[in-house]
């Protein structure tokens, strides 16, 4: 099965969400299909040279991918949360969205020291959340093994923002769904 083709077939584009002018790419219908989800996880599991010790998922849809990937590869799972969702000592990193700003957090104690971390997420737009996740992981004393992304929206700068990191993208899409 071609995972990228199935994701494209099953995903939805929702105009004006979460704000007017934004075209939101919803991949959850593709993740709901067990055959497609398995194919996506399998492709991401074998996508990073040199392997990884930890799979980090960026809240929220990255959690779906990271959980399945950590299970299938028998590796440690790390949740990178939105601001204010974690108790105790956390480190925080702000980033720009295509429609505002946000922050991510992680508990440094939740990641084994000197780990090689694969960061996964569903959609790559500007790269802001991925770069924030990388800075958090590096500040916690671990290294980025790479990024596993299901869909990159071309033209928004995300792929370029991650230059210098190993990047595996299953599917590139134009930012204009009619292109």
């Amino acid at each position: 099965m071609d995972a990228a083709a199935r994701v494209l077939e099953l995903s939805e584009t929702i105009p004006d969400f979460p704000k007017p002018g934004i075209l939101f790419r919803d991949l959850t219908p593709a993740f709901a299909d067990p055959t497609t989800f398995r194919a996506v996880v399998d492709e991401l599991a074998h996508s990073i040279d040199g392997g990884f010790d930890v799979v980090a998922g960026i809240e929220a849809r990255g959690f779906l991918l990271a959980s399945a990937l950590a299970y299938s590869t028998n590796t440690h799972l790390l949740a990178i949360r939105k601001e204010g969702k974690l108790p105790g000592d956390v480190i925080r990193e702000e980033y720009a969205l295509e429609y505002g700003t946000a922050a991510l957090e992680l508990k440094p104690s939740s990641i084994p020291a000197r780990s090689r971390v694969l960061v996964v997420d569903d959609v790559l737009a500007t790269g802001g959340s991925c770069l924030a996740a990388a800075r958090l992981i590096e500040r916690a004393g671990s290294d980025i093994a790479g990024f596993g992304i299901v869909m990159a929206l071309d033209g928004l700068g995300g792929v370029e923002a991650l230059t210098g990191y190993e990047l595996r993208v299953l599917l590139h899409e134009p930012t204009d769904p009619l292109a």
Side-chain angles (χ1 to χ4, degrees):
M1 166 197 280
D2 181 4
R6 287 289 294 163
V7 167
L8 187 57
E9 178 184 333
L10 295 173
S11 63
E12 299 175 356
T13 300
I14 300 162
D16 299 320
F17 183 82
K19 294 188 176 193
I22 301 295
L23 290 174
F24 183 81
R25 298 307 199 290
D26 184 9
L27 305 191
T28 55
F31 296 166
D33 179 73
T35 305
T36 302
F37 189 60
R38 178 181 299 277
V40 166
V41 169
D42 288 348
E43 283 198 36
L44 291 176
H46 303 291
S47 65
I48 300 299
D49 292 336
F52 48 91
D53 311 304
V54 174
V55 180
I58 300 173
E59 189 169 348
R61 290 167 309 279
F63 290 174
L64 301 171
L65 293 165
S67 297
L69 192 51
Y71 176 80
S72 75
T73 59
N74 197 34
T75 54
H76 188 87
L77 175 65
L78 175 66
I80 298 178
R81 302 293 313 264
K82 292 178 181 176
E83 181 178 27
K85 302 284 185 168
L86 289 172
D89 293 329
V90 299
I91 54 177
R92 179 179 179 275
E93 203 54 59
E94 283 191 23
Y95 64 99
L97 299 161
E98 56 272 37
Y99 50 84
T101 60
L104 294 174
E105 296 178 337
L106 74 75
K107 293 180 78 147
S109 62
S110 66
I111 182 171
R114 306 305 316 155
S115 296
R116 285 183 40 80
V117 182
L118 170 62
V119 179
V120 296
D121 209 357
D122 64 338
V123 176
L124 175 64
T126 65
S129 61
C130 285
L131 286 174
R135 287 191 296 268
L136 286 169
I137 290 162
E138 290 164 347
R139 285 173 50 202
S142 288
D143 299 315
I144 302 299
F147 290 90
I149 305 294
V150 179
M151 178 186 288
L153 302 178
D154 292 340
L156 294 180
V159 170
E160 296 78 13
L162 298 179
T163 299
Y165 292 104
E166 187 169 345
L167 174 63
R168 172 71 163 113
V169 176
L170 302 186
L171 170 65
H172 288 268
E173 263 296 281
T175 54
D176 178 355
L178 303 176

